[in-house]
Amino acid sequence: MFRKLFSMLLCAFALLLLMGASLEPETSLLAEEESAADSGEVSEAAPQPEELTEPVRPDIVHALQGTNPLKLAEGKETSGMEDITGSDPEPSGPAQSGQSNSSRDQTYVSLAAVAQELDPTASVSWKNNMAKVTTDKLTLTARVGDLYLEANGRYLYLPEGVQLSEGRVEVPLWAVAKAFDAQVTVDASTGALDVVLGSGAIQSGDAFYDAEELFWLSRIITAESGNQPMEGQIGVGIVVMNRVASSIYPDTVEEVLAQKNQFTTYRGGRLADRTPKESCVIAAKIVLDGGMVEGLETALYFDSTESSWAARNKECVASIGNHKFYGG
């Protein structure tokens, strides 16, 4: 009897061991799946990034896949670049090299696509909402929402800003071309765009900007509009440079600022001792690079009150932030 009971207990124990062995792998597998999800790893069965619906030229490759917002526009073997502009160009005459605000000059294109058209060796990356294009001659960055792109330390003004459209970082065609030292021309009869390549990169900011002009312009922008939006900061710089260019004002930035009864913030050496804000340095560089806020082409005055001499005697051409700007 004792032997039979012992045999039954032994069988029950063995059965429990077998049940435990069958449960253990399932528990372990669940833990591995949770661990993979926590670490960001993707199993082979995970869905792959959505395939591109647009054909892409074989010699243009994507910087990243999936959610990366640097997908390339379609690029075809053509004599020009009309197939990657995203819009049909209107007939125009000479090459576009300036920073005008006309709709023609603001034709937006995929930054990655055009960069790799202009230089097939260009690499494109994406981090912290900013696209970065790199060649052996050029470093270009464009952050979505900024009113400028930076190329070799140069700041090019984009009135409509850096945009994100259908998964692509887009900027005006003229700006990419200028960054690569290329000229965009338009066939007046067909409207087709063509690009003439130059050195491959824009001149560096260190070589381009006049240190004296940048010193004073960044400081007067800080003193007069350091608390204003970027366009307002640029506007103050434009007024100063419009005066420098005018025959009725002095010929240098410092002389314009030092003129009697004009910029009180210059007095007593206070302006020279001021540390400029980073955004105001950028605004100064944008102005020195030809950036123009629409409506301020003839602006020679600005103020923040309605009782100033300019408010009583000059036409208001724009209002930006707390400042009103007046023509000459």
PDB file of all heavy atoms in Angstrom, residues 98-121:
ATOM      1  N   GLY A  98      19.550  87.429 -56.608  1.00  0.00           N
ATOM      2  CA  GLY A  98      19.301  88.231 -55.424  1.00  0.00           C
ATOM      3  C   GLY A  98      18.274  87.621 -54.513  1.00  0.00           C
ATOM      4  O   GLY A  98      17.757  86.543 -54.760  1.00  0.00           O
ATOM      5  N   GLN A  99      17.967  88.346 -53.421  1.00  0.00           N
ATOM      6  CA  GLN A  99      17.005  87.860 -52.455  1.00  0.00           C
ATOM      7  C   GLN A  99      15.715  88.666 -52.547  1.00  0.00           C
ATOM      8  O   GLN A  99      15.272  89.279 -51.613  1.00  0.00           O
ATOM      9  CB  GLN A  99      17.579  87.936 -51.044  1.00  0.00           C
ATOM     10  CG  GLN A  99      18.817  87.097 -50.848  1.00  0.00           C
ATOM     11  CD  GLN A  99      19.199  87.010 -49.396  1.00  0.00           C
ATOM     12  OE1 GLN A  99      18.368  86.841 -48.524  1.00  0.00           O
ATOM     13  NE2 GLN A  99      20.467  87.121 -49.112  1.00  0.00           N
ATOM     14  N   SER A 100      15.119  88.676 -53.712  1.00  0.00           N
ATOM     15  CA  SER A 100      13.881  89.424 -53.877  1.00  0.00           C
ATOM     16  C   SER A 100      12.714  88.648 -53.290  1.00  0.00           C
ATOM     17  O   SER A 100      12.799  87.460 -53.072  1.00  0.00           O
ATOM     18  CB  SER A 100      13.655  89.725 -55.357  1.00  0.00           C
ATOM     19  OG  SER A 100      12.510  89.135 -55.835  1.00  0.00           O
ATOM     20  N   ASN A 101      11.613  89.344 -53.055  1.00  0.00           N
ATOM     21  CA  ASN A 101      10.448  88.711 -52.478  1.00  0.00           C
ATOM     22  C   ASN A 101       9.418  88.323 -53.521  1.00  0.00           C
ATOM     23  O   ASN A 101       8.304  87.964 -53.185  1.00  0.00           O
ATOM     24  CB  ASN A 101       9.779  89.655 -51.455  1.00  0.00           C
ATOM     25  CG  ASN A 101      10.624  89.818 -50.219  1.00  0.00           C
ATOM     26  OD1 ASN A 101      11.486  89.007 -49.953  1.00  0.00           O
ATOM     27  ND2 ASN A 101      10.371  90.873 -49.475  1.00  0.00           N
ATOM     28  N   SER A 102       9.745  88.403 -54.789  1.00  0.00           N
ATOM     29  CA  SER A 102       8.783  88.055 -55.822  1.00  0.00           C
ATOM     30  C   SER A 102       8.460  86.572 -55.749  1.00  0.00           C
ATOM     31  O   SER A 102       9.264  85.761 -55.320  1.00  0.00           O
ATOM     32  CB  SER A 102       9.353  88.382 -57.211  1.00  0.00           C
ATOM     33  OG  SER A 102      10.385  87.485 -57.546  1.00  0.00           O
ATOM     34  N   SER A 103       7.249  86.215 -56.191  1.00  0.00           N
ATOM     35  CA  SER A 103       6.845  84.819 -56.159  1.00  0.00           C
ATOM     36  C   SER A 103       7.758  83.968 -57.026  1.00  0.00           C
ATOM     37  O   SER A 103       7.982  82.793 -56.745  1.00  0.00           O
ATOM     38  CB  SER A 103       5.398  84.682 -56.636  1.00  0.00           C
ATOM     39  OG  SER A 103       5.261  85.203 -57.949  1.00  0.00           O
ATOM     40  N   ARG A 104       8.299  84.576 -58.091  1.00  0.00           N
ATOM     41  CA  ARG A 104       9.193  83.831 -58.977  1.00  0.00           C
ATOM     42  C   ARG A 104      10.442  83.394 -58.233  1.00  0.00           C
ATOM     43  O   ARG A 104      10.919  82.274 -58.380  1.00  0.00           O
ATOM     44  CB  ARG A 104       9.585  84.738 -60.154  1.00  0.00           C
ATOM     45  CG  ARG A 104      10.433  84.023 -61.175  1.00  0.00           C
ATOM     46  CD  ARG A 104       9.575  83.022 -61.959  1.00  0.00           C
ATOM     47  NE  ARG A 104      10.449  82.120 -62.673  1.00  0.00           N
ATOM     48  CZ  ARG A 104      10.885  80.987 -62.183  1.00  0.00           C
ATOM     49  NH1 ARG A 104      10.549  80.612 -60.987  1.00  0.00           N
ATOM     50  NH2 ARG A 104      11.653  80.204 -62.883  1.00  0.00           N
ATOM     51  N   ASP A 105      10.995  84.275 -57.397  1.00  0.00           N
ATOM     52  CA  ASP A 105      12.217  83.958 -56.675  1.00  0.00           C
ATOM     53  C   ASP A 105      11.961  83.076 -55.464  1.00  0.00           C
ATOM     54  O   ASP A 105      12.895  82.599 -54.845  1.00  0.00           O
ATOM     55  CB  ASP A 105      12.915  85.244 -56.220  1.00  0.00           C
ATOM     56  CG  ASP A 105      13.605  85.948 -57.371  1.00  0.00           C
ATOM     57  OD1 ASP A 105      13.775  85.323 -58.423  1.00  0.00           O
ATOM     58  OD2 ASP A 105      13.967  87.127 -57.206  1.00  0.00           O
ATOM     59  N   GLN A 106      10.683  82.894 -55.099  1.00  0.00           N
ATOM     60  CA  GLN A 106      10.374  82.087 -53.932  1.00  0.00           C
ATOM     61  C   GLN A 106       9.863  80.699 -54.322  1.00  0.00           C
ATOM     62  O   GLN A 106       9.148  80.058 -53.552  1.00  0.00           O
ATOM     63  CB  GLN A 106       9.357  82.809 -53.052  1.00  0.00           C
ATOM     64  CG  GLN A 106       9.872  84.112 -52.461  1.00  0.00           C
ATOM     65  CD  GLN A 106      11.151  83.932 -51.662  1.00  0.00           C
ATOM     66  OE1 GLN A 106      11.280  83.004 -50.892  1.00  0.00           O
ATOM     67  NE2 GLN A 106      12.112  84.831 -51.855  1.00  0.00           N
ATOM     68  N   THR A 107      10.204  80.227 -55.533  1.00  0.00           N
ATOM     69  CA  THR A 107       9.857  78.872 -55.933  1.00  0.00           C
ATOM     70  C   THR A 107      10.533  77.884 -54.998  1.00  0.00           C
ATOM     71  O   THR A 107      11.757  77.813 -54.938  1.00  0.00           O
ATOM     72  CB  THR A 107      10.310  78.596 -57.382  1.00  0.00           C
ATOM     73  OG1 THR A 107       9.648  79.501 -58.258  1.00  0.00           O
ATOM     74  CG2 THR A 107       9.979  77.169 -57.787  1.00  0.00           C
ATOM     75  N   TYR A 108       9.736  77.114 -54.255  1.00  0.00           N
ATOM     76  CA  TYR A 108      10.287  76.193 -53.257  1.00  0.00           C
ATOM     77  C   TYR A 108      10.599  74.834 -53.870  1.00  0.00           C
ATOM     78  O   TYR A 108       9.862  74.336 -54.713  1.00  0.00           O
ATOM     79  CB  TYR A 108       9.306  76.042 -52.090  1.00  0.00           C
ATOM     80  CG  TYR A 108       9.551  77.051 -50.993  1.00  0.00           C
ATOM     81  CD1 TYR A 108       9.305  78.396 -51.201  1.00  0.00           C
ATOM     82  CD2 TYR A 108      10.048  76.661 -49.757  1.00  0.00           C
ATOM     83  CE1 TYR A 108       9.547  79.336 -50.211  1.00  0.00           C
ATOM     84  CE2 TYR A 108      10.300  77.591 -48.750  1.00  0.00           C
ATOM     85  CZ  TYR A 108      10.034  78.926 -48.989  1.00  0.00           C
ATOM     86  OH  TYR A 108      10.291  79.849 -47.996  1.00  0.00           O
ATOM     87  N   VAL A 109      11.700  74.248 -53.424  1.00  0.00           N
ATOM     88  CA  VAL A 109      12.166  72.956 -53.929  1.00  0.00           C
ATOM     89  C   VAL A 109      12.631  72.098 -52.759  1.00  0.00           C
ATOM     90  O   VAL A 109      12.881  72.585 -51.660  1.00  0.00           O
ATOM     91  CB  VAL A 109      13.332  73.133 -54.930  1.00  0.00           C
ATOM     92  CG1 VAL A 109      12.897  73.871 -56.171  1.00  0.00           C
ATOM     93  CG2 VAL A 109      14.505  73.839 -54.256  1.00  0.00           C
ATOM     94  N   SER A 110      12.757  70.808 -53.015  1.00  0.00           N
ATOM     95  CA  SER A 110      13.312  69.891 -52.026  1.00  0.00           C
ATOM     96  C   SER A 110      14.800  70.195 -51.837  1.00  0.00           C
ATOM     97  O   SER A 110      15.586  70.132 -52.786  1.00  0.00           O
ATOM     98  CB  SER A 110      13.139  68.448 -52.493  1.00  0.00           C
ATOM     99  OG  SER A 110      13.955  67.574 -51.738  1.00  0.00           O
ATOM    100  N   LEU A 111      15.196  70.526 -50.613  1.00  0.00           N
ATOM    101  CA  LEU A 111      16.598  70.860 -50.340  1.00  0.00           C
ATOM    102  C   LEU A 111      17.515  69.695 -50.675  1.00  0.00           C
ATOM    103  O   LEU A 111      18.543  69.860 -51.332  1.00  0.00           O
ATOM    104  CB  LEU A 111      16.758  71.248 -48.869  1.00  0.00           C
ATOM    105  CG  LEU A 111      18.201  71.465 -48.373  1.00  0.00           C
ATOM    106  CD1 LEU A 111      18.890  72.557 -49.165  1.00  0.00           C
ATOM    107  CD2 LEU A 111      18.205  71.786 -46.890  1.00  0.00           C
ATOM    108  N   ALA A 112      17.150  68.500 -50.238  1.00  0.00           N
ATOM    109  CA  ALA A 112      18.008  67.339 -50.470  1.00  0.00           C
ATOM    110  C   ALA A 112      18.165  67.037 -51.950  1.00  0.00           C
ATOM    111  O   ALA A 112      19.266  66.785 -52.436  1.00  0.00           O
ATOM    112  CB  ALA A 112      17.445  66.122 -49.739  1.00  0.00           C
ATOM    113  N   ALA A 113      17.043  67.083 -52.685  1.00  0.00           N
ATOM    114  CA  ALA A 113      17.085  66.745 -54.104  1.00  0.00           C
ATOM    115  C   ALA A 113      17.971  67.702 -54.885  1.00  0.00           C
ATOM    116  O   ALA A 113      18.829  67.288 -55.663  1.00  0.00           O
ATOM    117  CB  ALA A 113      15.669  66.746 -54.680  1.00  0.00           C
ATOM    118  N   VAL A 114      17.772  69.005 -54.678  1.00  0.00           N
ATOM    119  CA  VAL A 114      18.531  69.989 -55.443  1.00  0.00           C
ATOM    120  C   VAL A 114      20.000  69.984 -55.023  1.00  0.00           C
ATOM    121  O   VAL A 114      20.900  70.107 -55.855  1.00  0.00           O
ATOM    122  CB  VAL A 114      17.915  71.388 -55.277  1.00  0.00           C
ATOM    123  CG1 VAL A 114      18.749  72.426 -56.016  1.00  0.00           C
ATOM    124  CG2 VAL A 114      16.494  71.400 -55.810  1.00  0.00           C
ATOM    125  N   ALA A 115      20.265  69.830 -53.730  1.00  0.00           N
ATOM    126  CA  ALA A 115      21.653  69.784 -53.260  1.00  0.00           C
ATOM    127  C   ALA A 115      22.407  68.649 -53.932  1.00  0.00           C
ATOM    128  O   ALA A 115      23.550  68.815 -54.386  1.00  0.00           O
ATOM    129  CB  ALA A 115      21.688  69.629 -51.742  1.00  0.00           C
ATOM    130  N   GLN A 116      21.760  67.490 -54.038  1.00  0.00           N
ATOM    131  CA  GLN A 116      22.441  66.345 -54.635  1.00  0.00           C
ATOM    132  C   GLN A 116      22.453  66.412 -56.157  1.00  0.00           C
ATOM    133  O   GLN A 116      23.234  65.733 -56.806  1.00  0.00           O
ATOM    134  CB  GLN A 116      21.794  65.050 -54.126  1.00  0.00           C
ATOM    135  CG  GLN A 116      22.099  64.843 -52.647  1.00  0.00           C
ATOM    136  CD  GLN A 116      21.327  63.717 -52.002  1.00  0.00           C
ATOM    137  OE1 GLN A 116      20.185  63.441 -52.359  1.00  0.00           O
ATOM    138  NE2 GLN A 116      21.950  63.060 -51.040  1.00  0.00           N
ATOM    139  N   GLU A 117      21.582  67.246 -56.742  1.00  0.00           N
ATOM    140  CA  GLU A 117      21.694  67.541 -58.166  1.00  0.00           C
ATOM    141  C   GLU A 117      22.908  68.432 -58.419  1.00  0.00           C
ATOM    142  O   GLU A 117      23.653  68.243 -59.367  1.00  0.00           O
ATOM    143  CB  GLU A 117      20.432  68.250 -58.661  1.00  0.00           C
ATOM    144  CG  GLU A 117      19.278  67.333 -58.988  1.00  0.00           C
ATOM    145  CD  GLU A 117      19.436  66.706 -60.359  1.00  0.00           C
ATOM    146  OE1 GLU A 117      20.188  67.263 -61.174  1.00  0.00           O
ATOM    147  OE2 GLU A 117      18.815  65.665 -60.602  1.00  0.00           O
ATOM    148  N   LEU A 118      23.091  69.428 -57.551  1.00  0.00           N
ATOM    149  CA  LEU A 118      24.187  70.378 -57.742  1.00  0.00           C
ATOM    150  C   LEU A 118      25.537  69.762 -57.409  1.00  0.00           C
ATOM    151  O   LEU A 118      26.555  70.141 -57.982  1.00  0.00           O
ATOM    152  CB  LEU A 118      23.950  71.617 -56.873  1.00  0.00           C
ATOM    153  CG  LEU A 118      22.727  72.456 -57.243  1.00  0.00           C
ATOM    154  CD1 LEU A 118      22.524  73.580 -56.234  1.00  0.00           C
ATOM    155  CD2 LEU A 118      22.857  73.030 -58.646  1.00  0.00           C
ATOM    156  N   ASP A 119      25.552  68.816 -56.466  1.00  0.00           N
ATOM    157  CA  ASP A 119      26.799  68.132 -56.107  1.00  0.00           C
ATOM    158  C   ASP A 119      26.435  66.710 -55.688  1.00  0.00           C
ATOM    159  O   ASP A 119      25.965  66.489 -54.569  1.00  0.00           O
ATOM    160  CB  ASP A 119      27.511  68.857 -54.970  1.00  0.00           C
ATOM    161  CG  ASP A 119      28.888  68.257 -54.674  1.00  0.00           C
ATOM    162  OD1 ASP A 119      29.141  67.105 -55.075  1.00  0.00           O
ATOM    163  OD2 ASP A 119      29.703  68.948 -54.041  1.00  0.00           O
ATOM    164  N   PRO A 120      26.652  65.719 -56.564  1.00  0.00           N
ATOM    165  CA  PRO A 120      26.283  64.334 -56.250  1.00  0.00           C
ATOM    166  C   PRO A 120      26.974  63.777 -55.008  1.00  0.00           C
ATOM    167  O   PRO A 120      26.531  62.776 -54.456  1.00  0.00           O
ATOM    168  CB  PRO A 120      26.709  63.565 -57.514  1.00  0.00           C
ATOM    169  CG  PRO A 120      26.694  64.587 -58.599  1.00  0.00           C
ATOM    170  CD  PRO A 120      27.140  65.860 -57.946  1.00  0.00           C
ATOM    171  N   THR A 121      28.053  64.423 -54.556  1.00  0.00           N
ATOM    172  CA  THR A 121      28.749  63.931 -53.368  1.00  0.00           C
ATOM    173  C   THR A 121      28.128  64.457 -52.077  1.00  0.00           C
ATOM    174  O   THR A 121      28.555  64.070 -50.983  1.00  0.00           O
ATOM    175  CB  THR A 121      30.233  64.341 -53.390  1.00  0.00           C
ATOM    176  OG1 THR A 121      30.344  65.766 -53.192  1.00  0.00           O
ATOM    177  CG2 THR A 121      30.896  63.963 -54.698  1.00  0.00           C
TER     178      THR A 121
END
